[in-house]
Amino acid sequence: MSSARSRASRIASPQRPGAGRVLVAVRGDTVLGHLQLVETGKPGESEIKNMAVREDHRGRGVGGALLDAAVELVTHERGTQLVAATAAADVGNLRCYQRQGFRMRSVERDAFTPATGYPAEIRIDGIALRDRVWLDRSLTPEP
């Protein structure tokens, strides 16, 4: 079993009414990351509202294991699609989602501006934070 797969088997899913569900990746007593799933209101669709992995554990399969666990959970519940949004400037997040089978859905221009509550001139790896990218992944077999 790969290290990412063994991490996936150790992901807990505490439930809190109204807050969606949170999957938590742990090793021993250490939390490595989390993923929050919420319903979108569309039949069969869930949204990955938030996902984070400790900086010292990025690139080690924790994010992929969390995404695998989310896909397994939503599929088990007969869900048909997952959606997620991330900053267009965050190429690491875009790479992670695309490696897990997510595809570009749309771009929400100027989502991260002072008018929407964000400070001016935020940069991620030298790229100005402005636009939000929506991605999706079908959970039904393609014909």
Side-chain angles (χ1 to χ4, degrees), residues 56-119:
D56 60 337
H57 282 80
R58 292 180 188 157
R60 298 182 184 182
V62 177
L66 285 163
L67 289 168
D68 285 344
V71 166
E72 184 177 327
L73 176 64
V74 173
T75 301
H76 177 75
E77 295 173 345
R78 302 199 190 289
T80 57
Q81 184 156 262
L82 274 174
V83 297
T86 193
D90 197 333
V91 295
N93 280 353
L94 291 170
R95 181 177 52 245
C96 178
Y97 281 117
Q98 289 179 86
R99 284 182 174 169
Q100 295 295 317
F102 284 78
R103 298 188 61 194
M104 302 288 178
R105 180 182 211 171
S106 64
V107 176
E108 186 180 338
R109 294 176 64 96
D110 299 319
F112 302 104
T113 66
T116 61
Y118 289 86

Side-chain angles (χ1 to χ4, degrees), residues 11-58:
I11 293 175
S13 179
Q15 293 191 359
R16 300 174 66 201
R21 291 165 292 175
V22 178
L23 307 180
V24 181
V26 297
R27 178 182 294 144
D29 293 333
T30 304
V31 174
L32 304 180
H34 74 272
L35 181 151
Q36 180 185 14
L37 278 173
V38 297
E39 300 301 318
T40 66
K42 296 179 183 174
E45 186 178 84
S46 293
E47 179 184 347
I48 297 168
K49 192 69 169 173
N50 184 282
M51 182 172 72
V53 174
R54 283 177 45 149
E55 191 170 348
D56 60 337
H57 282 80
R58 292 180 188 157

